[in-house]
Amino acid sequence: MVRTEKWITVASTRTLFPSSFRRRSLIAPPSFRRRSVAREVLMPGSLLPPPPPPAHIRTWPDRAALLADRGRALEELRRRSLGVHRVLLLWLLALAAIIGWALLVLPLRQLEQRDPTGFVLGPLFALLGLAALAPTVVAVALSVRRDHHIHRLLDAWSALDRHPATDSRLRSPGLSLFWLLSSLGVCAIGAWTSFAAAARAEPGHALYSDVVQGMGIGLILWLTGLIGIVKAVRHYRWALRILGRAPGAHHR
């Protein structure tokens, strides 16, 4: 479940993101400040900017304060969604999934080769493979869910108003292109690996375990690339939408 701080407005003269806002921390109202600091120490980097408050309780003193908070929130959300560390984490999870799949296939290979140690080592390799693969699948699913939540927060904050100078910086064409091209490369490698493994699936030419392993690795790479492509395209569409949106209603 994605963690966000609960939004509480404390005064009509105080902006909801004070000037001491930093990348990895949100300053809560006084009664919640100690709890927020404790959460940040225990779970560094896990908190996301909260959604903007409903229209009837917005208390920004002026439009400049609203735009400042909006810009900080959007920049933090963009970093959490499109940062280089996110693509590296995705590739690391893909590597862990490949290792887990290779371990799962080892018992099948031992059976095909009539290896007597397979009766002892086979279950061990299977458990190790599941231990590596299952958490990776769960982590990827949670990451996709977190990205969906971040995208909804981006929509909510960007809908508050329009500021072309800030919005143009949020396009991040370099990062978006990096995500797209690297993910296309991973997708291509995955597709080639799967088709190459399937082409060897002829009796007497290759072990079935090799075919299963190759097709599984190719599928993992293809899905990893697909996740990155979807992220890059979604960010590009979001950037076009906020840059082309007419100025919205100001705060109340």
Side-chain angles (χ1 to χ4, degrees), residues 14 37 80 96 103 114 175 193 195 238:
R14 179 178 299 176
V37 172
R80 297 291 184 94
L103 289 173
R114 294 183 174 85
L175 276 176
T193 303
F195 285 122
W238 173 80

Side-chain angles (χ1 to χ4, degrees), residues 183-230:
S183 299
L184 284 174
V186 173
C187 258
I189 294 173
W192 179 83
T193 303
S194 294
F195 285 122
R200 296 197 305 266
E202 297 180 4
H205 288 76
L207 295 175
Y208 287 109
S209 58
D210 293 334
V211 176
V212 171
Q213 177 175 302
M215 294 188 67
I217 292 175
L219 180 61
I220 291 171
L221 292 175
W222 184 80
L223 290 175
T224 301
L226 184 61
I227 292 173
I229 291 173
V230 170

Side-chain angles (χ1 to χ4, degrees), residues 3 5 24 36-47 80:
R3 299 293 300 275
E5 285 294 319
R24 306 190 66 169
S36 300
V37 172
R39 286 180 178 177
E40 185 64 19
V41 170
L42 293 175
M43 297 177 295
S46 63
L47 299 178
R80 297 291 184 94

Side-chain angles (χ1 to χ4, degrees), residues 157-179:
W157 277 103
S158 61
L160 286 178
D161 207 330
R162 184 186 179 193
H163 191 235
T166 300
D167 297 344
S168 61
R169 293 197 304 267
L170 295 171
R171 292 176 57 190
S172 302
L175 276 176
S176 184
L177 185 62
F178 171 72
W179 271 90

